[in-house]
Amino acid sequence: MTSVWRTSGWVLLGASLILALSLGIRHGFGLFLTPMSAEFGWGREVFAFAIALQNLIWGLAQPVTGAIADRYGARRVIAVGGVLYAAGLLLMAFADSAASLSLSAGLLIGIGLSGTSFSVLLGVVGRAVPMEKRSMAMGMAAAAGSFGQFAMLPGSLGLIGWLGWSAALLALGLLVALIVPLALLVRDQPLPSLGVEQSLGQALREACTHSGFWLLALGFFVCGFQVVFIGVHLPAYLVDQHLAAKVGTTVLALVGLFNVFGTYIAGWLGGRMSKPRLLTALYLLRTLVIVAFVYSPLSEWSAYAFGVAMGLLWLSTVPLTNGTVATLFGVRNLSMLGGIVFLFHQLGAFLGGWLGGYLYDHTGSYEMVWQLSILLGLLAAALNWPVREQPVERLRVVPAA
């Protein structure tokens, strides 16, 4: 047992550091919207589309990278993802057109994120720790990603102010390159066969005929829509409301800081309570927070309060959603199945990121997108309520794998 915990401890450390770098830098992309758009005379839709494309490519690639990690181990997937992510940042530093921005920030970084983010890393963690500790360990790893957001947002803003946006991206590319050696900490091997080996096709058919799988996926669509719209457009929204630029950065940093606690608590609660019911509560609370923020008088302090409240609910959905998938179907194909659910998250992310820029450029306001976020939050709460945490029949006959 001591050997098991020593191994899983190193895996958890490596996964946490990789998520902190990968997601911490990714959450700061909204800071580049204003300086890049101003320098090249773009409307907000150009930058918003590139980030939306990034989320779409990330989602489309995620089931593939997840399946490779499940079958052959995650280390190579993470290392290749780190290389592509760093290359995307380096090319983004020299992007001077919509096409080059979409290629770098959209395509390359999107593929890189698919190998260095939640589905692959939480799949590794899920296989490394005992079942009774799985939800909490996933919460700890997700919390590390949130701490990266808290730490990297002020750092990214400081780099932009000190070096300019282009050199700041070069510096961030060098930081992301650290993911490659960190992948050595992630000792992940495919699970041994238990005699009744499930093929990839069988795993897909089993999940696709399970109503809970689709309800989780559709609920996760809403999560992606909300967090990417807020992450990309909130700084510009607050500037439009005549608040200083540093307020938006501070709000997003507060989101990252308090999400450290939120994701850990969600993972801890997920080991003791119904994870789908917790998801319902989270989406309802998010909706209430957005309503209070949008329809109350806006000030610097109300913006900070929004960051704190939203931070507690930000990525708390991740350990609960992935933990439910693991309970339903086991962990052998967790990175792939979690990747499919995450694809829906990224479809929502694409729509939230792009639609925010599109509607702003055509209406001069984010009002319609805020209203849509509220309606979708209510829908997500309703979708997660009927999901039942009961393993499929295969796992009630054969020990969970």
Side-chain angles (χ1 to χ4, degrees):
M1 182 62 70
T2 301
S3 176
V4 170
W5 275 109
R6 185 181 299 115
T7 300
S8 61
W10 283 112
V11 169
L12 184 57
L13 175 63
S16 297
L17 291 172
I18 291 166
L19 285 171
L21 281 171
S22 176
L23 299 179
I25 290 172
R26 175 251 175 188
H27 276 297
F29 286 147
L31 301 176
F32 293 88
L33 185 155
T34 300
M36 291 188 72
S37 299
E39 179 162 335
F40 296 110
W42 298 331
R44 291 186 186 179
E45 187 184 357
V46 172
F47 189 93
F49 177 80
I51 300 302
L53 179 64
Q54 174 193 113
N55 284 283
L56 181 61
I57 296 296
W58 181 3
L60 290 171
Q62 194 66 81
V64 178
T65 54
I68 294 171
D70 285 333
R71 286 297 185 269
Y72 304 107
R75 185 178 292 174
R76 290 186 180 88
V77 172
I78 295 167
V80 172
V83 170
L84 292 175
Y85 194 163
L89 284 166
L90 296 179
L91 290 176
M92 185 179 173
F94 299 102
D96 57 1
S97 67
S100 59
L101 186 64
S102 293
L103 173 64
S104 56
L107 180 63
L108 286 177
I109 294 179
I111 298 174
L113 280 165
S114 75
T116 59
S117 55
F118 285 126
S119 295
V120 170
L121 273 302
L122 293 189
V124 173
V125 172
R127 287 186 285 271
V129 301
M131 182 175 65
E132 65 274 11
K133 300 293 185 183
R134 186 180 296 152
S135 181
M136 185 176 71
M138 288 182 174
M140 292 172 66
S146 301
F147 180 78
Q149 177 181 348
F150 167 70
M152 290 306 304
L153 273 166
S156 296
L157 184 64
L159 286 171
I160 293 171
W162 178 37
L163 302 172
W165 66 264
S166 181
L169 286 168
L170 293 175
L172 293 176
L174 294 177
L175 275 178
V176 163
L178 294 174
I179 289 175
V180 178
L182 284 172
L184 296 174
L185 292 174
V186 183
R187 299 178 58 186
D188 179 51
Q189 295 296 329
L191 292 176
S193 173
L194 296 177
V196 184
E197 180 68 27
Q198 191 181 38
S199 70
L200 192 66
Q202 289 171 331
L204 287 170
R205 283 192 295 273
E206 181 179 70
C208 290
T209 56
H210 195 290
S211 62
F213 183 77
W214 293 114
L215 292 172
L216 286 168
L218 292 171
F220 221 25
F221 172 95
V222 176
C223 179
F225 183 98
Q226 292 175 330
V227 300
V228 170
F229 165 64
I230 293 171
V232 172
H233 294 282
L234 183 66
Y237 171 77
L238 293 176
V239 170
D240 291 343
Q241 303 302 311
H242 311 295
L243 295 180
K246 68 177 182 179
V247 175
T249 305
T250 303
V251 171
L252 292 182
L254 287 171
V255 168
L257 175 61
F258 281 87
N259 194 40
V260 174
F261 305 105
T263 48
Y264 179 79
I265 293 169
W268 180 80
L269 288 174
R272 291 159 174 78
M273 300 170 63
S274 166
K275 287 185 275 293
R277 298 299 169 87
L278 287 170
L279 285 166
T280 293
L282 281 171
Y283 284 116
L284 284 175
L285 287 171
R286 263 199 203 175
T287 302
L288 291 174
V289 169
I290 292 173
V291 168
F293 174 65
V294 175
Y295 295 107
S296 297
L298 181 63
S299 69
E300 183 175 327
W301 291 106
S302 70
Y304 294 154
F306 175 74
V308 172
M310 188 58 69
L312 292 171
L313 308 168
W314 189 249
L315 294 179
S316 301
T317 56
V318 173
L320 297 176
T321 302
N322 281 272
T324 304
V325 173
T327 300
L328 294 177
F329 305 106
V331 297
R332 174 175 292 278
N333 296 294
L334 179 56
S335 293
M336 179 190 69
L337 296 179
I340 295 173
V341 173
F342 188 74
L343 168 59
F344 281 78
H345 182 282
Q346 295 309 96
L347 292 173
F350 173 84
L351 187 62
W354 168 74
L355 197 61
Y358 176 82
L359 289 177
Y360 181 89
D361 282 352
H362 286 77
T363 68
S365 169
Y366 288 114
E367 179 69 20
M368 290 180 63
V369 195
W370 284 119
Q371 292 173 349
L372 185 56
S373 294
I374 292 166
L375 293 174
L376 286 174
L378 295 173
L379 176 63
L383 287 169
N384 280 278
W385 183 260
V387 179
R388 294 293 175 263
E389 267 190 290
Q390 184 177 22
V392 295
E393 185 177 355
R394 169 180 59 84
L395 297 181
R396 297 196 294 270
V397 177
V398 179

